[in-house]
Amino acid sequence: MEVSTKGPWSESQMHEFLLESVFPLRLAINAADGFPRVVCVWFQFLQGRFYCVSHRDSQLVVLLRGSPKVGFDISPNQPPYYGVRGQGIAELTDEGAGDVLEQLLQRYLGAADSSLGNWLLSRRDEELLITIEPQRLFSWDYRQRMGKD
């Protein structure tokens, strides 16, 4: 499926930002009560898809099983503001979750050998891989407008 893109960045600029960014992915999921939930997760972006992991019993997994349509945002918390947001479809699987978990620990913590890394890896068999296939990507970049390019 072709991804719809909008904003000041080209699709390749968006992909470059997503490949290099270590901001967490803010993931919006639909809940049964009609209100969205927003969860921050670590991610990697490869071959046009987002890869995240979550414990098989987490509320995030429960909500994704109920509705795979998601919204997402990757951007810094501090000015100047810029980033990529969009919508996509999430898929859950247990295949590859442990390997992606190790890669995420390396990406966000610099190594898997820490108290958090060891604890997460101790439950690697209980993790699920979340693959998000973007349907729409939107970029925005206020750095020049905010005088901080």
Side-chain angles (χ1 to χ4, degrees), residues 13-143:
Q13 288 173 305
M14 286 188 235
H15 283 205
E16 183 178 334
F17 170 78
L18 295 169
L19 286 167
E20 295 175 1
S21 177
V22 289
F23 304 118
L25 182 144
R26 294 173 194 93
L27 188 61
I29 315 106
N30 296 310
D33 64 3
F35 287 95
R37 305 293 193 271
V38 177
V39 179
C40 290
V41 293
W42 291 343
F43 77 97
Q44 62 182 358
F45 186 77
L46 298 170
Q47 299 174 337
R49 293 187 174 118
F50 296 97
Y51 296 91
C52 316
V53 296
S54 188
H55 191 271
R56 67 177 173 222
D57 296 329
S58 71
Q59 187 65 29
L60 171 58
V61 167
V62 169
L63 293 173
L64 288 173
R65 287 181 202 253
S67 178
K69 292 181 178 180
V70 299
F72 52 83
D73 172 273
I74 301 97
S75 60
N77 289 325
Q78 303 297 322
Y81 302 116
Y82 61 97
V84 174
R85 61 181 163 247
Q87 292 104 26
I89 306 295
E91 181 181 319
L92 299 168
T93 182
D94 55 0
E95 289 184 38
D99 293 336
V100 172
L101 175 59
E102 285 187 44
Q103 294 164 9
L104 292 173
L105 288 167
Q106 185 67 38
R107 177 179 167 91
Y108 283 88
L109 299 180
D113 189 22
S114 66
S115 58
L116 175 60
N118 292 330
W119 178 74
L120 288 170
L121 289 172
S122 74
R123 10 179 277 165
R124 71 182 288 148
D125 293 339
E126 301 171 23
E127 298 289 325
L128 290 180
L129 178 63
I130 302 167
T131 303
I132 300 169
E133 177 132 10
Q135 308 296 297
R136 297 180 188 110
L137 292 173
F138 308 90
S139 64
W140 75 98
D141 192 338
Y142 299 149
R143 289 178 287 193

